[in-house]
Amino acid sequence: MVLSIDLMSLNALERTRSNMKAFTQRPKLAIDILLHGHQHGAVVNSYTSLEEIKGEVSIKAPCNTSFDNIFVTFEGSARTYVERITTSAATNSRTQANHHFLRLTQPIDDSALPPSQTLEAGKTYKVPFNFVVPEQLLPQSCTHLTDTDVLRNVHLRLPPSLGDEMAASDGGALLDDLAPAMSVISYSIQVRMVRGRRSNGKSIVIAESAKKLRIIPAGTEQPPLHVLDNNEEDHILRKEKDIKKGLFKGKLGRLTVEASQPRGIQLPLETSDNTSPLTTMATINIRFDPTEEDAQPPRLGQLINRLKVATFFASSPMRHLPNKRNISAYDGQQGLYVDAVPLSSRNVASVQWEHHMRAPPVRRDSAFSTLSAPAVPTPSSSYVGKSFYSAQILVPVTLPKNKLFTPTFCSCLIARAYILDLQLSVHSPGTTVTASTLRLKVPLQLFGAGNPSATATISADEAQAIAAREADGIFQPRNMAPPSPEYTEHAQLVRPMYPMETAAPPGYSIFSGREREMQRPVSVPQACG
């Protein structure tokens, strides 16, 4: 009797295993995303502003499958997390944020899908799609408070792909884009098939698929930064230092080094055949004010040039332009990751000094603009109206090809900046004095070239509507009355707030503690019954 019961239990267990195996091995609904004009040799396709992303979605069901709707979207999102490290491991914490800033939905022709909303077994359905990479984001993508409207407009520029290991490609091999794991910006074509709803009202995703893309938006070189003297944490455009004759021998003079922001570097299309080096030229202007008329300038030594790549990230929207000075090691809402890329190192002892006769001292403003720097720096703080020396060093800046560089940008949660780190060593005449080092931190802009053949297109109806609106504007009367009170005296202009429930892309998802699953429809396996 006991043996019979054991045999029955074993048989039941075997049947259960067989049923589970049959369920898990049943063919699932297949969704394939095919991009037209696939870029040969590329790990992922790369696009820039106003370029078209064309392709089709292939759907094949192993059995008759009913559905309520199919969504084909072009989406962009940013994901960050900031870890707060304390002296006690028990109090360490992490804050995380997700920002879906872009979602374009492809209208689907009724003829592409069965009217019964049931996919026939073994039949392949083709759904074409055509998206255009936008130049700007919708206002609903950035609704948080900012210090200035200028910064809000900067946040509405399309950010480049960043930190996604499978999308960091130069059109061929995968490369390091110098971004930390704490900051990721990704783009993809998403396909979701939904059916029914759960008790909480969320749609049930019965099948989904995604295709990653790399987006490098087109841009133009922005005006140079206006750098203040007291912000040496981020930028140093002028540096002064006393040069000694030797140990216990007094001061030889005061040396001043100065530089301005060089021309930006344009990043070519990754699909182009352009193999020219990415380069620009920086200029270092040097001035030596001797303490005595017969004192000779010091000998210049080694010039080391490095590129500092700074990635700012935050778990809450940035209200101001990020900078290193405002970030603390114990800050749990924003962080900074800096990587250094060596560029060049050379000896500049052969640089010739030029002797100048006396010149009246020139008052220098406390705010130093990088719009232009004189070939001869303004006098140092110890200049007393005597003769002085000047020199100039040209510094070629060429980006290495073993790294992947993205344009300079600043979005709601993530920003990228580049700084030229120039270190010049100077040798005093005395052999007992070690070489002095002067350091400059010069901002450098990188921007996307874009595709000249990609232009914004509008339909005939849109063109006719625009022409009619412009024609009507000619005959509209002009208002010659005084301005309304809200535009005079102490008026307060209130920025309209866009309700998030009507926004095209969803807003921010900010939470702390352990990582949680994204608030999105939950996929369930599709099986044929």
Side-chain angles (χ1 to χ4, degrees):
M1 183 66 179
V2 175
L3 180 60
S4 176
I5 294 176
D6 291 341
L7 290 175
M8 292 175 60
S9 300
L10 290 174
N11 291 335
L13 180 60
E14 187 63 28
R15 285 196 301 270
T16 302
R17 289 178 178 176
S18 299
N19 293 337
M20 290 297 297
K21 185 177 181 180
F23 178 80
T24 56
Q25 291 184 351
R26 285 174 180 173
K28 296 182 179 180
L29 192 147
I31 299 179
D32 295 324
I33 302 174
L34 176 64
L35 296 174
H36 294 166
H38 179 73
Q39 298 159 10
H40 179 70
V43 180
V44 293
N45 275 22
S46 178
Y47 300 91
T48 187
S49 305
L50 298 180
E51 283 191 329
E52 291 183 324
I53 306 174
K54 292 184 177 181
E56 65 179 12
V57 178
S58 175
I59 305 175
K60 185 177 181 179
C63 58
N64 292 345
T65 304
S66 61
F67 65 94
D68 288 341
N69 211 338
I70 296 178
F71 298 98
V72 181
T73 57
F74 171 41
E75 301 185 13
S77 63
R79 183 177 72 254
T80 62
Y81 70 85
V82 181
E83 292 182 334
R84 184 174 181 270
I85 308 299
T86 62
T87 55
S88 175
T91 58
N92 292 345
S93 61
R94 169 186 289 191
T95 55
Q96 179 174 311
N98 294 327
H99 180 202
H100 292 267
F101 54 82
L102 175 66
R103 179 177 293 160
L104 304 180
T105 302
Q106 171 68 46
I108 300 178
D109 195 296
D110 293 338
S111 62
L113 298 173
S116 62
Q117 292 188 318
T118 299
L119 302 179
E120 298 181 12
K123 184 176 180 179
T124 301
Y125 297 87
K126 304 286 188 179
V127 179
F129 62 83
N130 185 6
F131 297 103
V132 176
V133 180
E135 293 182 292
Q136 292 279 117
L137 298 175
L138 293 176
Q140 297 93 321
S141 299
C142 178
T143 57
H144 65 88
L145 296 178
T146 56
D147 289 346
T148 63
D149 288 336
V150 174
L151 180 60
R152 185 170 183 269
N153 293 332
V154 171
H155 284 184
L156 290 177
R157 296 173 186 167
L158 195 69
S161 297
L162 185 75
D164 192 340
E165 295 180 354
M166 296 308 298
S169 170
D170 63 346
L174 294 175
L175 297 175
D176 181 13
D177 64 357
L178 306 169
M182 294 82 78
S183 56
V184 176
I185 298 176
S186 58
Y187 293 87
S188 61
I189 301 294
Q190 300 275 350
V191 181
R192 298 183 181 91
M193 181 180 292
V194 300
R195 181 179 62 194
R197 292 183 178 274
R198 297 186 179 276
S199 57
N200 57 5
K202 295 183 180 295
S203 301
I204 301 176
V205 179
I206 60 176
E208 62 181 349
S209 182
K211 187 82 169 181
K212 287 189 176 183
L213 306 173
R214 176 167 171 79
I215 303 297
I216 300 297
T220 57
E221 186 175 6
Q222 300 300 310
L225 293 177
H226 190 69
V227 180
L228 298 178
D229 286 343
N230 59 357
N231 186 20
E232 293 193 355
E233 288 288 335
D234 295 277
H235 305 101
I236 304 174
L237 301 182
R238 179 184 171 100
K239 194 72 174 179
E240 298 183 8
K241 193 167 188 177
D242 289 332
I243 305 299
K244 295 183 178 180
K245 298 179 181 179
L247 191 62
F248 307 116
K249 291 185 179 180
K251 187 171 68 171
L252 179 69
R254 190 166 181 84
L255 189 71
T256 302
V257 293
E258 195 172 84
S260 59
Q261 180 175 334
R263 294 291 302 270
I265 297 179
Q266 188 179 63
L267 303 175
L269 280 176
E270 295 176 357
T271 55
S272 67
D273 298 328
N274 185 4
T275 58
S276 302
L278 305 179
T279 183
T280 187
M281 185 71 71
T283 303
I284 299 178
N285 296 314
I286 310 173
R287 176 183 177 126
F288 176 69
D289 295 327
T291 54
E292 301 174 358
E293 286 290 337
D294 58 348
Q296 296 298 313
R299 179 173 59 89
L300 303 179
Q302 201 76 8
L303 175 62
I304 300 176
N305 180 18
R306 297 187 302 171
L307 181 65
K308 292 290 189 70
V309 183
T311 305
F312 299 87
F313 51 94
S315 58
S316 60
M318 300 180 185
R319 297 187 56 175
H320 54 266
L321 281 173
N323 58 75
K324 185 178 180 180
R325 183 174 52 179
N326 293 338
I327 297 179
S328 169
Y330 301 99
D331 194 337
Q333 291 190 338
Q334 56 183 345
L336 170 63
Y337 176 82
V338 180
D339 206 340
V341 179
L343 296 181
S344 63
S345 177
R346 62 190 177 104
N347 191 292
V348 293
S350 60
V351 173
Q352 298 295 320
W353 288 95
E354 182 180 355
H355 185 251
H356 300 267
M357 301 307 295
R358 299 181 181 182
V362 180
R363 183 182 179 275
R364 181 171 167 269
D365 190 73
S366 60
F368 183 64
S369 173
T370 62
L371 290 173
S372 61
V376 178
T378 54
S380 65
S381 57
S382 61
Y383 180 66
V384 292
K386 300 179 180 180
S387 60
F388 62 94
Y389 295 84
S390 68
Q392 188 177 79
I393 303 175
L394 299 180
V395 187
V397 178
T398 303
L399 302 183
K401 294 185 178 181
N402 61 342
K403 301 292 183 182
L404 188 63
F405 297 93
T406 61
T408 305
F409 74 95
C410 180
S411 64
C412 296
L413 296 178
I414 304 173
R416 165 63 66 88
Y418 297 92
I419 302 98
L420 285 177
D421 186 3
L422 305 171
Q423 299 183 39
L424 175 64
S425 62
V426 181
H427 300 272
S428 301
T431 57
T432 57
V433 179
T434 58
S436 302
T437 301
L438 292 91
R439 185 178 185 183
L440 298 178
K441 300 178 183 179
V442 184
L444 176 65
Q445 286 189 39
L446 272 62
F447 57 97
N451 186 352
S453 61
T455 57
T457 58
I458 59 176
S459 64
D461 293 339
E462 291 173 328
Q464 184 177 359
I466 294 174
R469 184 171 65 248
E470 292 177 349
D472 292 341
I474 298 176
F475 302 101
Q476 290 180 357
R478 270 38 175 189
N479 185 5
M480 304 300 294
S484 302
E486 62 266 23
Y487 296 106
T488 60
E489 296 181 354
H490 302 286
Q492 293 183 353
L493 302 182
V494 181
R495 181 188 301 135
M497 298 300 294
Y498 299 90
M500 294 306 299
E501 58 269 14
T502 61
Y508 305 92
S509 173
I510 304 172
F511 47 90
S512 60
R514 293 185 175 181
E515 297 186 12
R516 304 177 185 175
E517 295 182 356
M518 297 174 59
Q519 300 298 320
R520 56 179 301 277
V522 180
S523 299
V524 296
Q526 168 66 21
C528 302

Coordinates of all heavy atoms in Angstrom, one line a residue, residues 300-362:
L300 N 61.6 78.4 -19.4 CA 60.4 77.6 -19.4 C 60.8 76.2 -19.5 O 61.8 75.8 -20.2 CB 59.5 78.1 -20.6 CG 59.1 79.5 -20.6 CD1 58.3 79.8 -21.8 CD2 58.4 79.9 -19.3
G301 N 60.0 75.3 -19.0 CA 60.3 73.9 -19.0 C 59.2 73.0 -19.7 O 59.0 73.3 -20.9
Q302 N 58.6 72.1 -19.0 CA 57.7 71.2 -19.6 C 56.3 71.7 -19.6 O 55.8 72.3 -18.6 CB 57.7 69.8 -18.9 CG 57.2 68.6 -19.7 CD 58.2 68.2 -20.7 OE1 59.4 68.7 -20.7 NE2 57.8 67.2 -21.5
L303 N 55.6 71.5 -20.7 CA 54.1 71.8 -20.8 C 53.3 70.6 -21.0 O 53.5 69.8 -22.0 CB 53.9 72.8 -22.0 CG 52.4 73.1 -22.3 CD1 51.8 73.9 -21.1 CD2 52.3 74.0 -23.5
I304 N 52.5 70.3 -20.0 CA 51.7 69.1 -20.0 C 50.2 69.5 -20.3 O 49.7 70.4 -19.6 CB 51.8 68.3 -18.7 CG1 53.2 67.9 -18.4 CG2 50.9 67.1 -18.7 CD1 53.4 67.2 -17.1
N305 N 49.6 68.8 -21.3 CA 48.3 69.1 -21.7 C 47.4 67.9 -21.5 O 47.6 66.9 -22.1 CB 48.2 69.6 -23.1 CG 46.9 70.0 -23.6 OD1 45.9 70.2 -22.8 ND2 46.7 70.0 -24.9
R306 N 46.3 68.1 -20.7 CA 45.4 67.0 -20.5 C 44.0 67.5 -20.6 O 43.7 68.7 -20.5 CB 45.5 66.4 -19.0 CG 46.8 65.7 -18.7 CD 46.8 65.0 -17.4 NE 46.4 65.9 -16.3 CZ 46.2 65.6 -15.1 NH1 46.2 64.3 -14.8 NH2 45.9 66.5 -14.1
L307 N 43.1 66.6 -21.0 CA 41.6 67.0 -21.2 C 40.9 66.4 -20.0 O 40.8 65.2 -19.8 CB 41.1 66.5 -22.5 CG 39.6 66.8 -22.8 CD1 39.4 68.3 -22.9 CD2 39.1 66.1 -24.0
K308 N 40.3 67.2 -19.2 CA 39.4 66.8 -18.1 C 38.0 66.7 -18.6 O 37.4 67.6 -19.1 CB 39.5 67.7 -16.9 CG 40.8 67.8 -16.2 CD 41.1 66.5 -15.4 CE 42.3 66.5 -14.6 NZ 42.1 67.4 -13.4
V309 N 37.4 65.5 -18.4 CA 36.0 65.2 -18.9 C 35.2 65.1 -17.6 O 35.3 64.2 -16.8 CB 35.9 63.9 -19.7 CG1 34.5 63.7 -20.2 CG2 36.9 64.0 -20.8
A310 N 34.3 66.1 -17.4 CA 33.5 66.2 -16.2 C 32.0 65.8 -16.5 O 31.4 66.4 -17.4 CB 33.5 67.6 -15.6
T311 N 31.5 64.8 -15.8 CA 30.1 64.4 -16.0 C 29.4 64.7 -14.7 O 29.7 64.1 -13.6 CB 30.0 62.9 -16.3 OG1 30.8 62.6 -17.5 CG2 28.6 62.5 -16.6
F312 N 28.4 65.6 -14.7 CA 27.6 66.0 -13.6 C 26.3 65.2 -13.6 O 25.7 65.0 -14.7 CB 27.3 67.5 -13.6 CG 28.5 68.4 -13.5 CD1 29.1 68.8 -14.6 CD2 28.9 68.8 -12.3 CE1 30.2 69.6 -14.6 CE2 30.0 69.7 -12.2 CZ 30.7 70.0 -13.3
F313 N 25.9 64.7 -12.5 CA 24.6 63.9 -12.4 C 23.9 64.3 -11.1 O 24.5 64.6 -10.1 CB 24.8 62.4 -12.6 CG 25.9 61.9 -11.6 CD1 25.5 61.3 -10.4 CD2 27.2 61.9 -12.0 CE1 26.5 60.8 -9.5 CE2 28.2 61.4 -11.1 CZ 27.8 60.9 -9.9
A314 N 22.6 64.1 -11.2 CA 21.8 64.5 -10.0 C 20.5 63.6 -9.9 O 20.1 63.1 -10.9 CB 21.4 66.0 -10.0
S315 N 20.0 63.4 -8.7 CA 18.8 62.6 -8.5 C 17.6 63.5 -8.4 O 16.5 63.1 -8.1 CB 19.0 61.8 -7.3 OG 19.2 62.5 -6.1
S316 N 17.8 64.8 -8.5 CA 16.7 65.8 -8.6 C 17.1 66.8 -9.6 O 18.2 67.1 -9.9 CB 16.5 66.5 -7.2 OG 17.7 67.2 -6.8
P317 N 16.1 67.4 -10.3 CA 16.3 68.3 -11.4 C 17.3 69.5 -11.0 O 17.1 70.1 -9.9 CB 15.0 68.8 -11.8 CG 14.0 67.8 -11.4 CD 14.6 67.2 -10.1
M318 N 18.2 69.8 -11.9 CA 19.2 70.9 -11.7 C 18.5 72.2 -11.9 O 17.9 72.5 -12.9 CB 20.4 70.7 -12.6 CG 21.1 69.4 -12.5 SD 22.5 69.4 -13.6 CE 23.1 67.7 -13.4
R319 N 18.6 73.1 -10.9 CA 18.0 74.4 -11.0 C 19.0 75.5 -11.5 O 18.7 76.6 -11.8 CB 17.5 74.9 -9.6 CG 16.4 74.0 -9.1 CD 15.8 74.6 -7.8 NE 15.3 76.0 -8.0 CZ 14.6 76.7 -7.1 NH1 14.4 76.1 -5.9 NH2 14.2 77.9 -7.3
H320 N 20.3 75.1 -11.5 CA 21.4 76.0 -11.9 C 22.4 75.3 -12.7 O 22.5 74.0 -12.7 CB 22.0 76.7 -10.7 CG 22.6 75.8 -9.7 ND1 21.8 75.4 -8.6 CD2 23.7 75.1 -9.6 CE1 22.5 74.5 -7.9 NE2 23.7 74.3 -8.5
L321 N 23.3 76.0 -13.4 CA 24.3 75.3 -14.1 C 25.3 74.6 -13.1 O 25.7 75.2 -12.2 CB 25.1 76.4 -14.9 CG 24.5 76.8 -16.3 CD1 25.4 78.0 -16.8 CD2 24.4 75.7 -17.3
P322 N 25.5 73.4 -13.4 CA 26.4 72.6 -12.4 C 27.8 73.1 -12.4 O 28.4 73.5 -13.4 CB 26.2 71.2 -12.9 CG 26.0 71.3 -14.3 CD 25.2 72.5 -14.5
N323 N 28.4 73.1 -11.2 CA 29.8 73.4 -11.1 C 30.4 72.6 -9.9 O 29.7 72.2 -9.0 CB 30.1 74.9 -11.0 CG 29.4 75.5 -9.8 OD1 29.8 75.3 -8.6 ND2 28.3 76.2 -10.1
K324 N 31.7 72.4 -9.9 CA 32.4 71.6 -8.9 C 32.3 72.2 -7.6 O 32.2 71.5 -6.5 CB 33.8 71.4 -9.3 CG 34.6 70.5 -8.4 CD 36.0 70.3 -9.0 CE 36.8 69.3 -8.0 NZ 38.2 69.2 -8.5
R325 N 32.3 73.5 -7.5 CA 32.3 74.2 -6.2 C 31.1 74.0 -5.4 O 31.1 74.0 -4.1 CB 32.5 75.7 -6.4 CG 32.6 76.6 -5.2 CD 32.9 78.0 -5.5 NE 32.0 78.5 -6.5 CZ 32.0 79.8 -6.9 NH1 33.0 80.6 -6.5 NH2 31.1 80.2 -7.8
N326 N 29.9 73.7 -6.0 CA 28.7 73.5 -5.3 C 28.4 72.1 -5.0 O 27.3 71.7 -4.5 CB 27.5 74.1 -6.1 CG 27.6 75.6 -6.3 OD1 28.3 76.3 -5.5 ND2 27.0 76.1 -7.3
I327 N 29.3 71.2 -5.2 CA 29.1 69.7 -5.0 C 29.9 69.3 -3.8 O 31.2 69.5 -3.8 CB 29.4 68.9 -6.2 CG1 28.5 69.3 -7.4 CG2 29.3 67.4 -6.0 CD1 28.7 68.5 -8.7
S328 N 29.3 68.7 -2.8 CA 30.0 68.2 -1.6 C 30.1 66.7 -1.7 O 29.2 66.0 -2.3 CB 29.2 68.6 -0.4 OG 29.7 67.9 0.7
A329 N 31.1 66.1 -1.0 CA 31.3 64.7 -1.0 C 30.1 64.0 -0.3 O 29.9 62.8 -0.4 CB 32.6 64.3 -0.4
Y330 N 29.5 64.8 0.6 CA 28.4 64.2 1.4 C 27.0 64.6 0.8 O 26.0 64.4 1.5 CB 28.5 64.7 2.8 CG 29.8 64.3 3.5 CD1 30.8 65.2 3.6 CD2 30.0 63.0 4.0 CE1 32.1 64.8 4.2 CE2 31.2 62.6 4.5 CZ 32.2 63.6 4.6 OH 33.4 63.2 5.2
D331 N 27.0 65.1 -0.4 CA 25.7 65.5 -1.0 C 25.0 64.3 -1.5 O 25.6 63.5 -2.3 CB 26.0 66.5 -2.1 CG 24.7 67.2 -2.6 OD1 23.6 66.6 -2.4 OD2 24.8 68.3 -3.2
G332 N 23.8 64.1 -1.1 CA 23.1 62.9 -1.6 C 22.2 63.1 -2.8 O 21.5 62.2 -3.2
Q333 N 22.2 64.3 -3.4 CA 21.4 64.6 -4.5 C 22.1 64.9 -5.8 O 21.5 65.0 -6.9 CB 20.4 65.7 -4.2 CG 19.4 65.3 -3.1 CD 18.3 66.4 -3.0 OE1 18.5 67.5 -3.4 NE2 17.1 66.0 -2.5
Q334 N 23.4 65.1 -5.7 CA 24.2 65.4 -6.9 C 25.6 64.9 -6.8 O 26.1 64.8 -5.7 CB 24.1 66.9 -7.3 CG 24.7 67.8 -6.1 CD 24.6 69.3 -6.5 OE1 24.4 69.7 -7.6 NE2 24.7 70.1 -5.5
G335 N 26.2 64.6 -7.9 CA 27.5 64.1 -7.9 C 28.3 64.5 -9.1 O 27.8 65.1 -10.1
L336 N 29.6 64.2 -9.1 CA 30.5 64.6 -10.2 C 31.5 63.5 -10.4 O 32.1 63.0 -9.5 CB 31.2 65.9 -9.9 CG 32.4 66.3 -10.8 CD1 31.9 66.6 -12.2 CD2 33.1 67.6 -10.2
Y337 N 31.7 63.1 -11.7 CA 32.7 62.1 -12.1 C 33.6 62.8 -13.1 O 33.2 63.3 -14.1 CB 32.0 60.9 -12.7 CG 33.0 59.9 -13.2 CD1 33.6 58.9 -12.3 CD2 33.4 59.8 -14.5 CE1 34.5 58.0 -12.8 CE2 34.2 58.8 -15.0 CZ 34.8 57.9 -14.1 OH 35.7 57.0 -14.6
V338 N 34.9 62.8 -12.8 CA 35.9 63.4 -13.7 C 36.9 62.4 -14.1 O 37.5 61.7 -13.3 CB 36.7 64.6 -12.9 CG1 37.7 65.2 -13.9 CG2 35.7 65.6 -12.5
D339 N 37.2 62.4 -15.4 CA 38.2 61.5 -16.0 C 39.2 62.4 -16.8 O 38.8 63.4 -17.4 CB 37.5 60.5 -17.0 CG 38.3 59.2 -17.1 OD1 39.5 59.3 -16.8 OD2 37.8 58.2 -17.6
A340 N 40.4 61.9 -16.8 CA 41.5 62.7 -17.4 C 42.0 61.9 -18.6 O 42.3 60.8 -18.5 CB 42.6 63.0 -16.4
V341 N 42.1 62.6 -19.7 CA 42.6 62.0 -21.0 C 43.9 62.8 -21.3 O 43.9 63.9 -21.6 CB 41.6 62.2 -22.1 CG1 42.2 61.5 -23.4 CG2 40.3 61.5 -21.7
P342 N 45.1 62.1 -21.3 CA 46.4 62.7 -21.7 C 46.3 63.1 -23.2 O 45.9 62.3 -24.0 CB 47.4 61.7 -21.4 CG 46.8 60.6 -20.5 CD 45.3 60.7 -20.9
L343 N 46.8 64.3 -23.5 CA 46.8 64.8 -24.8 C 48.2 65.0 -25.4 O 48.6 64.5 -26.4 CB 46.1 66.1 -24.9 CG 44.6 66.1 -24.6 CD1 43.9 67.5 -24.8 CD2 43.8 65.1 -25.5
S344 N 49.1 65.7 -24.6 CA 50.4 66.0 -25.1 C 51.3 66.4 -24.0 O 50.9 66.8 -22.9 CB 50.5 67.0 -26.2 OG 50.0 68.3 -25.7
S345 N 52.6 66.3 -24.2 CA 53.6 66.7 -23.2 C 54.9 67.1 -24.0 O 55.4 66.2 -24.8 CB 54.0 65.6 -22.2 OG 55.0 66.1 -21.3
R346 N 55.4 68.3 -23.9 CA 56.5 68.7 -24.7 C 57.3 69.8 -23.9 O 56.8 70.5 -23.0 CB 56.1 69.3 -26.0 CG 55.2 70.5 -26.0 CD 54.7 70.8 -27.4 NE 53.8 71.9 -27.4 CZ 54.1 73.2 -27.8 NH1 55.3 73.4 -28.3 NH2 53.2 74.1 -27.8
N347 N 58.6 69.9 -24.3 CA 59.5 70.9 -23.7 C 59.3 72.2 -24.5 O 59.4 72.2 -25.7 CB 60.9 70.4 -23.7 CG 61.8 71.3 -22.8 OD1 62.1 72.4 -23.2 ND2 62.3 70.7 -21.8
V348 N 59.2 73.3 -23.8 CA 59.0 74.6 -24.4 C 60.1 75.6 -24.1 O 59.9 76.8 -24.1 CB 57.6 75.2 -24.1 CG1 56.5 74.4 -24.6 CG2 57.4 75.3 -22.5
A349 N 61.3 75.0 -23.7 CA 62.4 75.9 -23.4 C 62.9 76.8 -24.5 O 63.5 77.8 -24.3 CB 63.6 75.0 -22.9
S350 N 62.6 76.4 -25.8 CA 63.0 77.1 -26.9 C 62.1 78.3 -27.2 O 62.4 79.1 -28.1 CB 63.0 76.2 -28.2 OG 61.7 75.7 -28.4
V351 N 61.1 78.5 -26.5 CA 60.2 79.7 -26.7 C 61.0 81.0 -26.4 O 61.6 81.1 -25.4 CB 58.9 79.6 -25.8 CG1 58.1 80.9 -25.9 CG2 58.1 78.4 -26.3
Q352 N 60.9 81.9 -27.3 CA 61.6 83.2 -27.2 C 60.9 84.2 -26.4 O 59.7 84.4 -26.6 CB 62.0 83.7 -28.6 CG 62.8 82.8 -29.4 CD 64.2 82.6 -28.8 OE1 64.8 83.6 -28.3 NE2 64.7 81.4 -28.9
W353 N 61.6 84.9 -25.5 CA 61.0 86.0 -24.7 C 61.2 87.3 -25.5 O 62.2 87.5 -26.2 CB 61.7 86.2 -23.4 CG 61.4 85.1 -22.4 CD1 62.1 84.0 -22.1 CD2 60.3 85.1 -21.5 NE1 61.5 83.2 -21.1 CE2 60.3 83.9 -20.7 CE3 59.2 86.0 -21.3 CZ2 59.4 83.6 -19.8 CZ3 58.3 85.6 -20.3 CH2 58.4 84.4 -19.6
E354 N 60.2 88.2 -25.4 CA 60.3 89.5 -26.1 C 60.4 90.6 -25.0 O 59.5 90.6 -24.1 CB 59.1 89.7 -27.0 CG 59.1 91.1 -27.7 CD 57.9 91.3 -28.6 OE1 57.1 90.3 -28.7 OE2 57.8 92.4 -29.1
H355 N 61.3 91.5 -25.1 CA 61.5 92.5 -24.1 C 60.7 93.8 -24.5 O 60.7 94.2 -25.6 CB 63.0 92.9 -24.0 CG 63.3 93.9 -22.9 ND1 63.7 95.2 -23.2 CD2 63.3 93.7 -21.6 CE1 63.9 95.8 -22.0 NE2 63.6 94.9 -21.0
H356 N 60.0 94.3 -23.5 CA 59.2 95.5 -23.7 C 59.7 96.6 -22.8 O 60.1 96.4 -21.6 CB 57.7 95.2 -23.4 CG 57.1 94.1 -24.2 ND1 56.4 94.4 -25.4 CD2 57.1 92.8 -24.1 CE1 56.0 93.3 -25.9 NE2 56.4 92.3 -25.2
M357 N 59.6 97.8 -23.3 CA 59.9 99.0 -22.4 C 58.8 99.3 -21.5 O 57.8 98.6 -21.5 CB 60.2 100.2 -23.3 CG 61.4 100.0 -24.3 SD 62.9 99.4 -23.5 CE 63.3 100.8 -22.5
R358 N 59.0 100.3 -20.7 CA 58.0 100.6 -19.6 C 56.7 100.9 -20.2 O 56.5 101.5 -21.3 CB 58.5 101.8 -18.8 CG 59.8 101.6 -18.1 CD 60.2 102.8 -17.2 NE 61.5 102.6 -16.6 CZ 62.0 103.5 -15.8 NH1 61.4 104.6 -15.5 NH2 63.2 103.2 -15.2
A359 N 55.6 100.5 -19.5 CA 54.3 100.7 -19.9 C 53.4 101.1 -18.7 O 53.6 100.5 -17.6 CB 53.7 99.5 -20.6
P360 N 52.5 102.0 -18.8 CA 51.7 102.3 -17.6 C 50.8 101.1 -17.2 O 50.3 100.4 -18.1 CB 50.8 103.5 -18.1 CG 50.8 103.3 -19.6 CD 52.1 102.7 -20.0
P361 N 50.6 100.9 -15.9 CA 49.8 99.8 -15.5 C 48.3 99.9 -15.9 O 47.8 101.0 -16.0 CB 49.9 99.8 -14.0 CG 50.3 101.2 -13.6 CD 51.1 101.7 -14.8
V362 N 47.7 98.8 -16.3 CA 46.3 98.8 -16.8 C 45.5 98.1 -15.7 O 45.8 97.0 -15.3 CB 46.2 98.1 -18.1 CG1 44.8 98.1 -18.6 CG2 47.1 98.8 -19.2

